[in-house]
Coordinates of all heavy atoms in Angstrom, one line a residue:
H5 N 88.6 82.3 85.4 CA 87.5 82.1 86.4 C 86.2 82.4 85.7 O 85.9 83.6 85.4 CB 87.8 83.0 87.6 CG 89.1 82.7 88.3 ND1 90.2 83.3 88.0 CD2 89.3 81.8 89.3 CE1 91.2 82.8 88.8 NE2 90.7 81.9 89.6
T6 N 85.4 81.4 85.6 CA 84.1 81.6 84.9 C 83.2 82.6 85.6 O 82.6 83.5 85.0 CB 83.3 80.3 84.8 OG1 84.2 79.3 84.1 CG2 82.0 80.4 84.1
L7 N 83.1 82.5 86.9 CA 82.3 83.4 87.7 C 82.7 84.9 87.5 O 81.9 85.8 87.3 CB 82.3 83.0 89.2 CG 81.4 83.9 90.1 CD1 80.0 83.9 89.7 CD2 81.6 83.5 91.6
L8 N 84.0 85.1 87.6 CA 84.5 86.5 87.4 C 84.2 87.0 86.0 O 83.8 88.2 85.9 CB 86.0 86.5 87.7 CG 86.6 87.9 87.7 CD1 85.9 88.8 88.7 CD2 88.1 87.8 88.0
R9 N 84.3 86.2 85.0 CA 84.0 86.6 83.7 C 82.5 87.0 83.6 O 82.2 88.0 83.0 CB 84.3 85.5 82.6 CG 85.8 85.3 82.4 CD 86.0 84.5 81.1 NE 85.1 83.4 80.8 CZ 85.4 82.2 81.3 NH1 86.4 81.9 82.0 NH2 84.5 81.2 81.0
E10 N 81.7 86.2 84.2 CA 80.2 86.5 84.2 C 79.9 87.8 84.8 O 79.1 88.6 84.3 CB 79.5 85.4 84.8 CG 79.5 84.1 84.0 CD 78.8 82.9 84.7 OE1 78.4 83.1 85.9 OE2 78.6 81.8 84.1
V11 N 80.6 88.0 86.0 CA 80.3 89.3 86.8 C 80.8 90.5 86.0 O 80.1 91.5 85.9 CB 81.0 89.2 88.1 CG1 81.0 90.6 88.8 CG2 80.3 88.2 89.0
M12 N 82.0 90.4 85.4 CA 82.5 91.5 84.6 C 81.7 91.8 83.4 O 81.5 92.9 83.0 CB 84.0 91.2 84.2 CG 84.9 91.2 85.4 SD 86.6 90.8 85.0 CE 87.1 92.2 84.1
R13 N 81.2 90.7 82.7 CA 80.4 90.9 81.5 C 79.1 91.6 81.8 O 78.7 92.6 81.2 CB 80.1 89.5 80.9 CG 79.3 89.7 79.6 CD 78.9 88.3 78.9 NE 78.0 87.6 79.8 CZ 78.4 86.4 80.4 NH1 79.6 85.9 80.2 NH2 77.5 85.8 81.1
E14 N 78.5 91.2 82.9 CA 77.2 91.8 83.3 C 77.5 93.3 83.7 O 76.6 94.2 83.3 CB 76.6 91.1 84.5 CG 76.1 89.7 84.2 CD 75.6 88.9 85.4 OE1 75.7 89.5 86.5 OE2 75.2 87.7 85.2
A15 N 78.6 93.6 84.4 CA 78.9 94.9 84.7 C 79.1 95.8 83.5 O 78.6 96.9 83.4 CB 80.1 95.0 85.7
L16 N 79.9 95.3 82.6 CA 80.2 96.1 81.4 C 79.0 96.3 80.5 O 78.9 97.4 79.8 CB 81.4 95.5 80.6 CG 82.7 95.4 81.4 CD1 83.8 94.7 80.6 CD2 83.2 96.8 81.7
E17 N 78.2 95.3 80.4 CA 77.0 95.4 79.4 C 75.9 96.3 80.0 O 75.0 96.6 79.3 CB 76.5 94.0 79.1 CG 77.5 93.2 78.2 CD 77.0 91.9 77.7 OE1 76.1 91.4 78.4 OE2 77.5 91.4 76.7
M18 N 76.1 96.8 81.2 CA 75.2 97.8 81.7 C 75.5 99.2 81.2 O 74.7 100.1 81.2 CB 75.3 97.8 83.3 CG 74.8 96.6 84.0 SD 75.1 96.6 85.8 CE 74.1 98.1 86.2
E19 N 76.7 99.3 80.6 CA 77.1 100.6 80.0 C 76.6 100.7 78.6 O 76.8 99.8 77.8 CB 78.7 100.7 80.1 CG 79.3 100.5 81.5 CD 78.8 101.6 82.4 OE1 78.6 102.8 82.0 OE2 78.5 101.3 83.6
P20 N 76.0 101.8 78.2 CA 75.4 101.9 76.9 C 76.4 101.9 75.8 O 76.1 101.6 74.6 CB 74.7 103.3 77.0 CG 75.4 104.0 78.1 CD 75.8 103.0 79.1
D21 N 77.7 102.3 76.1 CA 78.7 102.4 75.0 C 79.7 101.2 75.0 O 80.7 101.2 74.4 CB 79.5 103.7 75.1 CG 80.1 103.8 76.5 OD1 79.7 103.1 77.5 OD2 81.1 104.6 76.6
M22 N 79.3 100.1 75.7 CA 80.2 98.9 75.8 C 79.5 97.7 75.5 O 78.3 97.5 75.8 CB 80.8 98.8 77.2 CG 81.7 100.0 77.5 SD 82.6 99.8 79.1 CE 83.4 101.4 79.3
A23 N 80.2 96.7 74.8 CA 79.7 95.4 74.5 C 80.8 94.4 74.6 O 81.9 94.7 74.1 CB 79.0 95.4 73.2
V24 N 80.6 93.3 75.3 CA 81.6 92.2 75.4 C 81.4 91.3 74.1 O 80.4 90.7 73.9 CB 81.3 91.4 76.6 CG1 82.4 90.2 76.7 CG2 81.5 92.3 77.9
V25 N 82.4 91.3 73.3 CA 82.4 90.6 72.0 C 83.0 89.2 72.1 O 82.8 88.5 71.1 CB 83.1 91.4 70.9 CG1 82.3 92.8 70.7 CG2 84.5 91.6 71.2
G26 N 83.6 88.9 73.2 CA 84.2 87.6 73.3 C 84.8 87.3 74.7 O 85.1 88.2 75.4
E27 N 84.9 86.0 75.0 CA 85.4 85.6 76.3 C 86.3 84.4 76.0 O 86.1 83.6 75.1 CB 84.3 85.2 77.3 CG 83.4 86.4 77.7 CD 82.4 85.9 78.6 OE1 82.7 85.0 79.5 OE2 81.2 86.4 78.6
A28 N 87.3 84.2 76.9 CA 88.1 83.0 76.8 C 88.7 82.7 78.2 O 88.8 83.6 79.0 CB 89.3 83.2 75.9
D29 N 88.9 81.4 78.5 CA 89.5 81.0 79.8 C 90.9 80.6 79.8 O 91.5 80.2 80.8 CB 88.6 79.9 80.3 CG 88.7 78.6 79.5 OD1 89.4 78.6 78.5 OD2 88.0 77.6 79.8
N30 N 91.6 80.8 78.6 CA 93.0 80.6 78.5 C 93.7 81.4 77.4 O 93.0 82.0 76.6 CB 93.3 79.1 78.3 CG 92.8 78.6 76.9 OD1 93.4 78.9 75.9 ND2 91.6 78.0 76.9
G31 N 95.0 81.5 77.5 CA 95.7 82.4 76.5 C 95.5 82.1 75.1 O 95.2 83.0 74.2
G32 N 95.6 80.8 74.7 CA 95.4 80.4 73.3 C 94.1 80.7 72.8 O 94.0 81.3 71.7
S33 N 93.0 80.4 73.5 CA 91.6 80.7 73.1 C 91.4 82.2 73.0 O 90.8 82.8 72.1 CB 90.6 80.1 74.0 OG 90.7 78.7 74.0
G34 N 92.0 83.0 73.9 CA 91.9 84.4 74.0 C 92.6 85.1 72.8 O 92.0 86.0 72.2
I35 N 93.7 84.6 72.4 CA 94.4 85.1 71.2 C 93.6 84.8 70.0 O 93.5 85.7 69.1 CB 95.8 84.4 71.1 CG1 96.7 84.9 72.3 CG2 96.5 84.8 69.8 CD1 98.0 84.1 72.4

Side-chain angles (χ1 to χ4, degrees):
H5 300 90
T6 302
L7 178 59
L8 184 57
R9 291 199 312 275
E10 291 176 351
V11 170
M12 293 177 70
R13 182 181 67 244
E14 291 174 2
L16 295 176
E17 290 185 338
M18 292 174 63
E19 303 300 320
D21 57 341
M22 295 184 185
V24 177
V25 298
E27 296 180 33
D29 62 2
N30 64 78
S33 298
I35 292 167

